[in-house]
Amino acid sequence: MFNKILIANRGEIAVRIIRACKEMGIRTLAVYSEADRDALHTRLADGAICIGPPKSADSYLNIQSIISAMEVADAEAVHPGYGFLAENASFAEACEKCGIKFIGPASSVMRLMGNKVGAKKKAEELNVSVLPWSNRALVDEKEAIEVSKKIGFPVLIKAASGGGGRGMKLVHTQASLGSAFNMAKSEAIAAFGDGEVFIERYCELPRHIEIQIAADEHGNVIHLGERECSIQRRHQKILEESPSPALDPKLRQKMGETAVKLAKGIGYTNVGTMEFLLDKDKRFYFMEMNARVQVEHPVTEFVTGVDLVKEQIKIAMGERTALKQKNVVMKGHSIECRINAEDPKTFMPSPGKITGLTMPGGPGVRVDSAIYCGSHVPPYYDNLIAKVIVHAEGRMDAIARMSRALEEFQIVGIKTNIPLHLKILKDHDFIAGKTDIDFLSRFT
Ligand code: MV4
């Protein structure tokens, strides 16, 4: 049993984790930057330690300050949330070395899946389908040409250390392959300090479907169905739902079993997500793994009734999971809208003071947020300020419920993307469930 958990994050996810800990009788320690003295996570935790100046690199990403805070306040476990240090294998490893329980997978597993070449190789070894690719990191332009001829254009050049769409280059013809290869390589060095790149066949207009899994430290691995995450802009998801309008029970089972097989094969523990692309012919391909709790986890919580954050903590405490695959039943339909502090037309960030606030409520509505009337949205961090999640019997009911909830939501002082969400919810293709990863670029 943990006595005290340090939450190495801020915003809505820090608040979400604090709430789970409180209900479990675990004390909470917040860390905060100088910009977050009055933040909700700082106020709600049982204790709080300032870890540095506003910039993330000086505070929420400062491994040494966070480990010192753990030692000063005698916390035995750390929950990284998402973003910041959540998928930093060196942080997980530093925790392991200091005898601190990192609430997530082992650092070695995180490191394996963090390299996309290693992850794809492992998936192939386990007979999990992936898109045709170079089978290893590319050595030079010549090899890029040979591989592309074999798998056929268009191809994508991806960075091994990338992920979440960072450092990808789409190439349509052999003529542009050489320069794209060199650009991808130098961009990967600049962004990740690692120039390893590989080539993959480009999949046109796919859906982004991800499978939630949970794995305890005793070999029990289950899946909790899928999330449809196709509605995104520049790799930032905007609206997610579960179940996906594109899956039937048979395909769900097949994708779920694939995700479980992969998790077991790599020795994954804690909760995690396997990302797949689903093509027009309903073939699915493994893309990458997210070794953390995700922003969109509440839609899975709504349809399965499982508290994923409590599950993470219980797994990290070494408990055997009480979840059994046959007991995981998806009920109803859930949608999440990410509310960002931004101009709904230009997508420019809109930080500032919230001078008026009315939160939505009523049946089947959940709001995960760290804003309050009078709070400040600092300019230094991600501009996600709230998540509105609804649950209803069917998809149409969920759409109606979300529109109703967003119309109730009043935020004064800053701009938000609520108008964009209301527009999406009225869109005929969206209502028909016809979404793919280019939905939003056609839309706006
Ligand atoms: C792709 C792809 C098409 N073909 N790979 C972007 C995030 C990363 N997980 C993988 N990504 C993609 N990989 C092949 N071979 C299209 C994307 C992609 C994408 C994927 C999921 C959600 C949104 C996306 C937006 C643009 C591109």
Side-chain angles (χ1 to χ4, degrees):
M1 181 69 191
F2 296 142
N3 278 307
K4 192 191 274 185
I5 293 178
L6 181 145
I7 296 99
N9 216 301
R10 65 179 303 283
E12 68 86 18
I13 194 64
V15 170
R16 167 74 186 87
I17 298 161
I18 292 168
R19 287 174 173 153
C21 291
K22 292 206 165 175
E23 290 179 14
M24 294 172 87
I26 300 169
R27 278 184 295 161
T28 52
L29 174 67
V31 290
Y32 63 95
S33 74
E34 285 162 14
D36 279 339
R37 276 185 195 289
D38 298 318
L40 193 62
H41 79 283
T42 308
R43 290 179 15 184
L44 288 185
D46 299 305
I49 294 180
C50 183
I51 48 165
K55 281 202 202 115
S56 302
D58 302 324
S59 50
Y60 298 106
L61 289 173
N62 189 334
I63 293 177
Q64 208 38 63
S65 311
I66 291 167
I67 291 192
S68 301
M70 305 259 329
E71 281 164 355
V72 167
D74 218 14
E76 60 241 85
V78 57
H79 197 308
Y82 55 71
F84 295 125
L85 297 169
E87 290 180 282
N88 185 317
S90 303
F91 177 60
E93 191 180 359
C95 292
E96 285 161 3
K97 286 195 171 132
C98 296
I100 295 164
K101 183 67 185 184
F102 176 85
I103 302 175
S107 62
S108 54
V109 177
M110 200 188 281
R111 196 162 272 130
L112 167 72
M113 296 313 268
N115 183 297
K116 308 305 160 201
V117 169
K120 280 197 79 148
K121 277 189 184 158
K122 201 74 200 175
E124 283 191 310
E125 253 175 65
L126 295 163
N127 257 321
V128 169
S129 60
V130 296
L131 283 157
W133 69 303
S134 48
N135 297 312
R136 57 191 170 105
L138 291 169
V139 189
D140 54 21
E141 268 182 61
K142 203 170 129 262
E143 196 182 27
I145 292 169
E146 279 164 23
V147 170
S148 302
K149 276 185 176 160
K150 215 164 67 200
I151 65 180
F153 288 96
V155 296
L156 267 180
I157 306 178
K158 296 185 173 183
S161 289
R166 293 172 312 155
M168 301 198 314
K169 287 249 172 304
L170 178 58
V171 185
H172 286 279
T173 61
Q174 190 179 320
S176 48
L177 194 57
S179 64
F181 171 80
N182 290 317
M183 263 163 73
K185 210 171 175 63
S186 44
E187 282 177 26
I189 291 170
F192 317 112
D194 168 18
E196 233 181 74
V197 296
F198 63 97
I199 280 193
E200 194 174 89
R201 172 139 90 235
Y202 181 60
C203 178
E204 307 224 28
L205 300 181
R207 288 174 184 259
H208 173 155
I209 311 272
E210 55 188 33
I211 305 285
Q212 177 70 54
I213 62 115
D216 71 14
E217 295 174 358
H218 308 276
N220 303 300
V221 187
I222 58 145
H223 74 85
L224 297 109
E226 80 281 10
R227 293 185 286 264
E228 159 84 57
C229 304
S230 298
I231 301 185
Q232 52 81 42
R233 180 180 175 271
R234 297 188 181 173
H235 307 294
Q236 289 280 82
K237 294 164 190 159
I238 304 250
L239 181 155
E240 307 93 351
E241 60 185 302
S242 185
S244 164
L247 264 59
D248 58 22
K250 212 173 125 205
L251 182 53
R252 173 170 306 116
Q253 188 181 345
K254 226 174 116 198
M255 291 183 77
E257 283 169 358
T258 302
V260 166
K261 179 169 70 177
L262 194 47
K264 281 186 175 160
I266 60 174
Y268 191 85
T269 52
N270 217 279
V271 312
T273 302
M274 307 295 179
E275 264 185 42
F276 296 92
L277 292 185
L278 182 67
D279 72 12
K280 289 189 283 294
D281 304 317
K282 304 262 165 125
R283 281 177 301 217
F284 62 88
Y285 307 95
F286 170 71
M287 284 286 114
E288 52 193 71
M289 166 155 214
N290 299 314
R292 60 172 190 275
V293 69
Q294 287 188 270
V295 177
E296 59 272 26
H297 76 277
V299 297
T300 300
E301 296 189 319
F302 253 150
V303 296
T304 63
V306 174
D307 186 316
L308 289 168
V309 176
K310 285 186 185 170
E311 208 55 40
Q312 286 193 288
I313 296 168
K314 286 191 255 178
I315 289 168
M317 290 194 294
E319 275 188 24
R320 248 167 226 288
T321 182
L323 299 172
K324 296 229 174 348
Q325 192 65 61
K326 65 170 172 23
N327 297 336
V328 178
V329 185
M330 292 168 79
K331 200 168 157 274
H333 198 98
S334 180
I335 302 176
E336 170 178 277
C337 287
R338 297 190 188 192
I339 312 304
N340 296 330
E342 68 189 17
D343 185 300
K345 291 207 169 67
T346 64
F347 299 99
M348 288 293 288
S350 175
K353 183 175 175 175
I354 293 171
T355 54
L357 184 63
T358 311
M359 291 270 196
V365 177
R366 164 177 170 183
V367 181
D368 278 20
S369 179
I371 61 171
Y372 55 87
C373 191
S375 73
H376 292 264
V377 179
Y380 309 102
Y381 315 108
D382 190 280
N383 60 2
L384 176 80
I385 54 165
K387 307 187 306 205
V388 178
I389 313 101
V390 299
H391 189 217
E393 207 166 295
R395 188 166 184 271
M396 290 307 156
D397 312 305
I399 293 171
R401 181 159 281 172
M402 181 61 86
S403 301
R404 184 274 289 171
L406 293 184
E407 273 158 16
E408 287 177 23
F409 207 170
Q410 302 288 336
I411 304 173
V412 187
I414 56 169
K415 290 182 203 160
T416 77
N417 62 349
I418 290 175
L420 174 65
H421 280 298
L422 288 169
K423 214 172 128 199
I424 293 170
L425 294 165
K426 288 197 187 90
D427 180 79
H428 290 291
D429 282 343
F430 174 73
I431 291 169
K434 288 184 195 153
T435 47
D436 57 55
I437 61 170
D438 283 338
F439 173 87
L440 214 57
S441 57
R442 287 193 296 270
F443 187 74
T444 42

